[in-house]
Amino acid sequence: MKVIGIESSCDETGVALVDAGASGTPRLLAHALHSQAEMHQAYGGVVPELASRDHVRRVIPLLRQVLDEAGSRPADIDLVAYTRGPGLAGALLVGAGVAEALGVALDRPTLGVHHLEGHLLSPFLAADAPAFPFIALLVSGGHTQLMRVDEVGRYALLGETIDDAAGEAFDKSAKLLGLGYPGGPALARLAESGRADAVPLPRPLLHSGDLDFSFAGLKTAVMTRLRALGPQPTEAARADLAASAQAAIVDVLVAKTLRALADSGLQRLVVAGGVGANRRLRAQLDAAAARRGFRVHYPPLDLCTDNGAMIALAGALRAQRGLDRGRRAGPFDVRPRWPLDQI
Ligand code: KG4
Ligand code: ZN
């Protein structure tokens, strides 16, 4: 069974083709991605209308590219998976519209995938795929959640952010420091030459006793510290602040994740979402895993941020298990807000 996946929930257009047998992990045949980051950079964040229009321009050429690379024809596609939500409504509608049209044209079923389920299952695209059950730390630009995953489609929310997401904390701190969009990778780069313990910053909810997060206060603390540095802070002072902000975010993510593992008694952790690419986060989780004897699974580095491969994969895994056989032509919708435990 060949499954095409289309991702267009935010500022990345992603298309991928996977091959799935009746069971076993689906195999990635080809994937292609176009990031709009450069286009949105001038505005300091994603402009939804521009995002939608760019998805319109990119999605068909990417589809062609993926089929070419996989040596496949449109008629080889058995199932069309696309991101149904959550995300920007207009952006989602582009992917959904193209997917539904493809379904009608090829007379194949379509399957609307939850974006976070895609992230959650993306480590199955890595050579060393996790086994169920596991704890998942989902850290993206819009979400910060700890979940217990018992099987494909069986997700229990253990804790989440009560305000900003971890990625937002990176992006907003980066913006304050005058770094470009998206700020996460830029802040991480600046942090490399700074000292993580240079600036005392709060670790919100570190001792709250639950698995929830809060990052909005951190951004304010970074702003206050930055102001204290005067109108023209030195490069070294900015690097120290970046390193300290990164350390504060990572400390809380690591502490809560370890707590979730301890509470559940599970020995496997999956880290997914854009912030999962962060090297400090990975180093600390890997060190804790070595110390405590649990396993950590990451998606391949290039599939941490949004992509079509995770959508094709999630569609294939759901179809394989009979959780979702897809639907035939008819009215369709997108779900800009869609809690993961409601799929
Ligand atoms: O999963 P993703 O691509 O999109 C969403 O679904 O939100 O995540 C994007 C987020 C952005 O906030 C970006 O700044 C952050 O992931 N990010 C990073 C790194 N790479 C991406 N944050 C910290 N360190 C990184 N290396
Ligand atoms: Zn995402």
Side-chain angles (χ1 to χ4, degrees), residues 7 9-10 115-116 119 140-143 273-274 304-307 310:
E7 154 65 30
S9 65
C10 189
H115 180 82
L116 295 183
H119 276 305
S140 71
H143 294 84
C304 272
T305 46
D306 292 349
N307 64 82
M310 66 184 196

Side-chain angles (χ1 to χ4, degrees), residues 98-153:
V98 168
E100 293 290 341
L102 204 57
V104 172
L106 300 172
D107 191 24
R108 298 287 191 275
T110 59
L111 195 160
V113 170
H114 193 291
H115 180 82
L116 295 183
E117 183 173 37
H119 276 305
L120 208 65
L121 299 175
S122 60
F124 285 94
L125 291 164
D128 144 55
F132 296 105
F134 54 78
I135 294 293
L137 171 67
L138 218 92
V139 271
S140 71
H143 294 84
T144 301
Q145 301 185 328
L146 277 162
M147 322 249 347
R148 182 191 163 103
V149 178
D150 284 292
E151 237 303 329
V152 176

